[in-house]
């Protein structure tokens, strides 16, 4: 219980720090975002009109501390401001529309990469020096070494433009409306295949090679050798004794990967014109949409913190030494 309370306390402190930094950083930038946005209207609108537009965007000259508490109240009530680039659309509506697409695409591709890579790593480490052990790590590392946006462009050109096997943009067919039906769901899968396979291939090597190395180190431990000498079955030895302990370092990497799901694969979404948060973030930067940029970065930070909290709690269940602070001398 003490460990859980400590982790929750650290999470709350980190969350407050992320929110505060997200509030302060834009205000420490040289110049004023409002001046940048409204400079294009100088000479076209009178000062009263510009002042009215600033008020509509929620831009004020109030003291910093008052702005900070208004910012916190807005976060809690869902009032994240209006988008500069898509005025008068609220920022939270843009995120609500984009986030499910990113979570569906990048989340599913990440989970598949973790499952396939970890399972393959366990198998090839058990069959060391075999054909798969000699080829799979090199093959996957070669694919991962390629810039993933270049792989995305290659897939788009070959399978989308030349062969016309898959669509080249958007998240579903034109003419369809989002609904719970097989027609819409199959269209989403069809449109998401190329960007999904690009993300999967780009991250597969890390999971496969990492699990293989962890397994090889674990298989050399005394307790595994002793269990093998006692006649424990190969399947139980591989999964219950070796894989269960070798997979622990993977959890930390999985936390980072899950946290980064929210940010999406920005360039991949841009190449395929996919309606996810990554594409929206790119457009927000181009349009100098500061409220959308600020909210997107905060969402990414919160996702990473939540993912790390969940994995910390899960890690403590799988490895009791985490809760007790490690193994003491003489234990």
């Amino acid at each position: 219980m003490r460990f859980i309370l400590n982790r929750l306390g650290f999470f709350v402190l980190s969350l407050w720090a992320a929110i505060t930094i997200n509030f302060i950083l834009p205000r420490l930038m040289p110049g004023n975002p409002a001046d940048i946005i409204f400079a294009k209207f100088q000479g076209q609108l009178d000062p009263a009109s510009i002042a009215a537009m600033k008020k509509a965007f929620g831009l004020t000259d109030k003291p910093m501390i008052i702005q900070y508490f208004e910012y916190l109240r807005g976060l809690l009530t869902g009032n994240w401001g209006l988008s500069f680039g898509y005025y008068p659309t609220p920022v939270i509506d843009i995120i609500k529309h984009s986030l499910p697409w990113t979570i569906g695409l990048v989340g599913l591709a990440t989970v598949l990469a973790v499952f396939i890579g970890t399972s393959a790593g366990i198998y090839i480490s058990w069959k060391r020096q075999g054909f798969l052990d000699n080829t799979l790590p090199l093959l996957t590392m070669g694919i991962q070494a390629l810039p993933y946006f270049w792989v995305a462009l290659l897939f788009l050109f070959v399978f989308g433009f030349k062969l016309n096997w898959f669509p080249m943009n958007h998240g579903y067919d034109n003419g369809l409306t989002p609904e719970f039906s097989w027609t819409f769901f199959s269209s989403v899968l069809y449109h998401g295949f190329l960007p999904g396979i690009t993300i999967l291939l780009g991250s597969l090597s890390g999971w496969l090679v990492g699990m293989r190395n962890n397994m090889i180190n674990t298989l050399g431990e005394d307790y595994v050798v002793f269990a093998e000498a006692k006649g424990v079955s190969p399947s139980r030895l591989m999964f219950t004794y070796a894989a269960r302990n070798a997979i622990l370092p993977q959890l930390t990497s999985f936390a980072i990967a899950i946290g980064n799901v929210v940010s999406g694969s920005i360039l991949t979404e841009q190449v395929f014109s996919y309606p996810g948060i990554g594409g929206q973030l790119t457009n927000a930067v181009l349009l100098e949409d500061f409220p959308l940029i600020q909210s997107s970065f905060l969402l990414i930070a919160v996702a990473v913190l939540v993912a790390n909290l969940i994995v910390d709690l899960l890690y403590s269940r799988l490895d009791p030494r985490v809760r007790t602070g490690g193994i003491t001398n003489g234990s």
Side-chain angles (χ1 to χ4, degrees):
M1 180 59 68
R2 183 178 179 183
F3 173 81
I4 295 176
L5 292 177
N6 287 338
R7 300 314 302 169
L8 288 175
F10 179 77
F11 169 77
V12 172
L13 181 62
S14 301
L15 180 60
W16 171 79
I19 291 173
T20 303
I21 292 173
N22 193 59
F23 169 81
I24 292 175
L25 281 181
R27 291 160 177 81
L28 295 179
M29 295 172 60
N32 189 333
D35 294 337
I36 297 174
I37 294 299
F38 292 102
K40 66 183 72 173
F41 297 111
Q42 297 297 332
Q44 302 178 26
L45 297 175
D46 58 87
S49 298
I50 294 179
M53 292 181 67
K54 287 184 178 182
K55 184 178 179 180
F57 281 120
L59 302 171
T60 66
D61 296 323
K62 294 179 181 178
M64 187 75 71
I65 187 66
I66 296 178
Q67 293 185 42
Y68 178 67
F69 283 107
E70 289 181 347
Y71 170 74
L72 293 179
R73 185 174 67 242
L75 289 180
L76 295 175
T77 59
N79 181 17
W80 294 7
L82 300 178
S83 168
F84 289 172
Y86 303 97
Y87 181 81
T89 307
V91 169
I92 194 168
D93 289 345
I94 297 175
I95 292 177
K96 284 180 179 178
H97 175 76
S98 304
L99 189 59
W101 292 100
T102 293
I103 293 177
L105 173 67
V106 186
L108 181 60
T110 300
V111 170
L112 286 175
V114 173
F115 177 77
I116 296 173
T118 301
S119 301
I122 292 173
Y123 180 79
I124 65 175
S125 65
W126 191 257
K127 303 288 184 179
R128 289 193 300 278
Q129 304 305 321
F131 175 76
L132 291 179
D133 187 37
N134 291 327
T135 56
L136 276 183
L138 293 176
L139 179 62
T140 55
M141 284 191 290
I143 295 175
Q144 188 169 3
L146 299 173
Y148 69 91
F149 63 88
W150 183 85
V151 176
L153 287 171
L154 180 64
F155 282 180
L156 187 66
F157 177 75
V158 174
F159 299 106
F161 180 72
K162 285 292 186 181
L163 300 178
N164 198 28
W165 288 356
F166 296 96
M168 300 179 63
N169 55 21
H170 203 43
Y172 53 90
D173 291 335
N174 294 328
L176 294 179
T177 56
E179 59 182 1
F180 289 100
S181 67
W182 172 246
T183 301
F184 177 74
F185 183 68
S186 61
S187 179
V188 170
L189 292 178
Y190 184 49
H191 281 256
F193 181 82
L194 282 184
I197 201 69
T198 302
I199 297 171
L200 188 151
L201 292 177
S203 59
L204 187 61
S205 175
W207 302 109
L208 186 146
V209 175
M211 191 61 193
R212 174 188 179 275
N213 294 339
N214 293 338
M215 277 289 292
I216 289 176
N217 291 332
T218 304
L219 288 172
E221 295 288 341
D222 292 339
Y223 69 90
V224 177
V225 176
F226 180 71
E228 186 177 11
K230 287 181 62 178
V232 175
S233 64
S235 60
R236 186 182 177 191
L237 186 67
M238 180 170 60
F239 292 105
T240 305
Y241 283 79
R244 180 179 177 181
N245 291 284
I247 205 173
L248 293 177
Q250 295 279 90
L251 289 176
T252 303
S253 300
F254 184 62
I256 298 173
I258 290 297
N260 289 333
V261 162
V262 174
S263 63
S265 187
I266 295 177
L267 291 180
T268 300
E269 289 186 2
Q270 196 71 13
V271 169
F272 290 98
S273 299
Y274 199 77
I277 199 72
Q280 290 290 358
L281 182 56
T282 304
N283 293 333
V285 173
L286 295 175
L287 296 172
E288 296 179 331
D289 193 342
F290 293 99
L292 183 54
I293 295 172
Q294 190 177 19
S295 299
S296 299
F297 284 151
L298 178 60
L299 193 66
I300 293 169
V302 171
V304 172
L305 290 174
V306 171
N308 277 278
L309 174 64
I310 294 174
V311 171
D312 278 343
L313 298 178
L314 181 60
Y315 209 116
S316 68
R317 294 290 299 173
L318 294 176
D319 190 350
R321 293 174 298 178
V322 174
R323 298 194 299 269
T324 59
I327 301 176
T328 59
N329 292 332
S331 60

